[in-house]
Every structure is written in structure tokens, then in C-alpha cells.
């Protein structure tokens, strides 16, 4: 009986071993699965944190760049506006004599760590988009923007229609509202036009366009980009470089361009100035309109 019990016990013990092993295997498998899930959670957490940190760093870089841009813009505006005022004060208050028209209409000023080139362009020497006839506008688009003649005529016609229905252009940027005008054409002509409210019906449009032609030739050949690249030749000057009746003194309306070098960028600040008595200012000049500053040149690349 003992042997039988022993065998039974042994048999029982033997019979129980597979169940225990299976349970242990299941337990190990369950623990291994839990460890795998936990490991996956940890990996996903680390990946998520990495993306979060990368996003924060990227956002911080963008914020830093934006802050630097705002600083550059503010410094450029301060230097440009100060230089324009200083130049006008020299010409109109101190009455510093000018040897020639170039020295009268341009000057270089060191303000802090910035060098500022200021240029004055008589508004009468710019093509008035409020008064210019269709033929003159079409010629302008062909010369400066190299628009095909047919398209230029259509665009000029649209400008005249816009004036008739929408009223006078308040600023040159309003040209972008004309059907057919795009940013490329506008950038090509913006330095040569003005939006004036005075009556220039008697302007010699052919003479104005003829004066622009040498500048346009150099612009299209890549030697020149815009008036601001060649201050010694104001638009509308005669061949000898002098305007009719020039007395080497400032009078009338001008566009003041100030180029400020800051880092690898050159900023352009543009103001429209009225000079003369009765302009509504205690100073002998008044700022009629100020355009937002813009980056004109970056790392020797004209924009």
C-alpha cells in the first residue's frame, strides 16, 4: 500500500508538474508583455518629449530672429528719419551751400554705428500716376518692367480706368489694386513714379520718359537696380545733369530716400516731403507721407 501510495503520490506529483509549469510560463509571458508595454510607453514618452523640446527650441529660434528683425527695423527707422531731418535742416535752416545739384540732393551721415545715405528726388521729375496719359504709362511698363507692348497698353488702360472710377491714387502702392498689375511690375516701376494730388497736366511726359531711359537701360542690363543705386542721376534731369531753373535750393515736393546699412542688410526708408512756406509746419518742410521701412538689399543681393 505504501508503495502504491508512493506511486500515487509520485503520480500525483508528476501529474501536477505540467500544470505548474504552464502557469509559470503564463506568468512569465504576462510579465514579459507588461514589461514590453511599459518599455513602449517609455519610448513613446521619450519621443514625445524630444519633439516637444525640439518644438520649443525651434519656436525660441524664430522668436529670437523676429526680435532681431524688430531691433534692426527700429534702429534703421531711427537712423533714417534722423538723417533725413538732419539733411533738410542743413539745406533749409543752416543753409549749408551746395557746390552742385548732386551735393544738394544727396548726403551721407554717420549716426551712431550706422552710415546713412540720404537722397532727395524732386517729385516733379517722377511720373505722376494720377496724371500720366495712357501712352506714357505703357512706355513706362515696357521700359522698366519689360512688359510686352500689348500687355503694357492693356495695363496702362486699366490704370486710367481705375483713376476714372476709383479716384486718384493716394499712394504708389495703390497701383497693386489695378487689374493686371503684379508685384514684379510694381517693384520695377515704383522708384520712378509718384502719386501726387497737384495738377501736372502740363508735364512734358516725353521728356520725363527720355530722362528715365539711361537708368532703365542699366537696370535691365543688371548694372543698376532702382534710383537708389545711383543718386548722382536724379530722374528728370537734363543731359547736363541740371534741372530747368535750378537755383541750388530746395522748393516744392520731394521724395526722400534713406538707405541704412545694418548687419548684412540695407534698409530703405522713404518719406514724401513738401518744402516751402505755408506747408502747415513750424519748420520750412513737412512730411506728407511716410512709407514703412523695408529691406532693400541683403548680402549684396538687391531685393
Amino acid at each position: 500500500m505504501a508503495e502504491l501510495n508512493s506511486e500515487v503520490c509520485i503520480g500525483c506529483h508528476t501529474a501536477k508538474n505540467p500544470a505548474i509549469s504552464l502557469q509559470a510560463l503564463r506568468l512569465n509571458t504576462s510579465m514579459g508583455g507588461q514589461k514590453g508595454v511599459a518599455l513602449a510607453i517609455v519610448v513613446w514618452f521619450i519621443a514625445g518629449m524630444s519633439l516637444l523640446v525640439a518644438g520649443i527650441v525651434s519656436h525660441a529660434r524664430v522668436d529670437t530672429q523676429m526680435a532681431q528683425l524688430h531691433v534692426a527695423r527700429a534702429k534703421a527707422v531711427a537712423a533714417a528719419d534722423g538723417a533725413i531731418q538732419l539733411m533738410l535742416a542743413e539745406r533749409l535752416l543752416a543753409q549749408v551751400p551746395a557746390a552742385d545739384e548732386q551735393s544738394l540732393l544727396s548726403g551721407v551721415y554717420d549716426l551712431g554705428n550706422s552710415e546713412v545715405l540720404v537722397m532727395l528726388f524732386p517729385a516733379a521729375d517722377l511720373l505722376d500716376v494720377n496724371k500720366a496719359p495712357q501712352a506714357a504709362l505703357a512706355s513706362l511698363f515696357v521700359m522698366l518692367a519689360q512688359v510686352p507692348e500689348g500687355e503694357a497698353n492693356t495695363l496702362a488702360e486699366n490704370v486710367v480706368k481705375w483713376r476714372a472710377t476709383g479716384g486718384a491714387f493716394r499712394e504708389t502702392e495703390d497701383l497693386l489694386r489695378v487689374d493686371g498689375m503684379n508685384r514684379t511690375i510694381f517693384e520695377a516701376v515704383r522708384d520712378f513714379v509718384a502719386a501726387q494730388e497737384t495738377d501736372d497736366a502740363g508735364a512734358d511726359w516725353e521728356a520725363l520718359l527720355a530722362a528715365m531711359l539711361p537708368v532703365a537701360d542699366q537696370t535691365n542690363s543688371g548694372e543698376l537696380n532702382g534710383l537708389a543705386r545711383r543718386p548722382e542721376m536724379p530722374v528728370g534731369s537734363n543731359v547736363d545733369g541740371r534741372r530747368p531753373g535750378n537755383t541750388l535750393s530746395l522748393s516744392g515736393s520731394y521724395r526722400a530716400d534713406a538707405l541704412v546699412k545694418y548687419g548684412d542688410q540695407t534698409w530703405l526708408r522713404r518719406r514724401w516731403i513738401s518744402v516751402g512756406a505755408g506747408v502747415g509746419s513750424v519748420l520750412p518742410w513737412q512730411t506728407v507721407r511716410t512709407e514703412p521701412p523695408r529691406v532693400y538689399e541683403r548680402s549684396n543681393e538687391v531685393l
Side-chain angles (χ1 to χ4, degrees), residues 97-119:
D100 50 35
E101 189 176 30
Q102 177 182 347
S103 59
L104 175 72
L105 298 178
S106 63
V108 179
Y109 300 89
D110 291 321
L111 298 178
N113 296 326
S114 301
E115 182 180 87
V116 186
L117 170 63
V118 180
M119 297 158 290

Side-chain angles (χ1 to χ4, degrees), residues 197-220:
E197 298 180 0
T198 57
D199 186 8
D200 290 335
D204 190 343
W205 306 111
E206 292 185 1
L208 286 177
L209 292 170
M212 296 178 188
L213 187 58
V215 184
D217 289 340
Q218 295 182 54
T219 301
N220 295 332

Side-chain angles (χ1 to χ4, degrees), residues 261-298:
K261 180 73 173 179
Y262 186 84
D264 65 340
Q265 298 177 333
T266 299
W267 289 78
L268 171 62
R269 177 68 157 180
R270 178 165 290 174
R271 283 186 162 192
W272 297 85
I273 308 294
S274 179
V275 177
V279 295
S281 173
V282 295
L283 297 172
W285 71 86
Q286 180 184 28
T287 299
V288 178
R289 186 169 61 87
T290 302
E291 297 183 10
R294 56 189 172 95
V295 176
Y296 181 79
E297 192 176 41
R298 181 183 294 115

Side-chain angles (χ1 to χ4, degrees), residues 72-87:
R73 176 190 174 104
K75 289 187 175 181
V77 167
D81 290 349
I84 291 174
Q85 295 292 88
L86 182 58
M87 180 175 179

Side-chain angles (χ1 to χ4, degrees), residues 87 91 96-109 117-126 208 211 230-251 253-255:
M87 180 175 179
R91 302 297 188 271
V96 177
D100 50 35
E101 189 176 30
Q102 177 182 347
S103 59
L104 175 72
L105 298 178
S106 63
V108 179
Y109 300 89
L117 170 63
V118 180
M119 297 158 290
L120 298 179
F121 298 97
D125 292 342
L126 302 173
L208 286 177
R230 192 180 177 188
E232 67 272 16
M233 182 181 176
V235 170
S237 295
N238 292 334
V239 178
D240 60 0
R242 297 178 62 87
R243 290 180 291 112
N246 178 29
T247 58
L248 296 182
S249 62
L250 299 180
S251 180
S253 299
Y254 294 86
R255 191 191 75 203

Side-chain angles (χ1 to χ4, degrees), residues 167-201:
F169 294 100
R170 298 178 64 92
E171 53 191 42
T172 55
E173 289 79 3
D174 286 340
L175 284 172
L176 290 170
R177 302 169 64 182
V178 175
D179 186 28
M181 179 66 68
N182 56 43
R183 175 61 66 174
T184 300
I185 299 176
F186 173 71
E187 291 295 338
V189 303
R190 71 182 303 176
D191 289 333
F192 298 83
V193 299
Q196 303 186 69
E197 298 180 0
T198 57
D199 186 8
D200 290 335

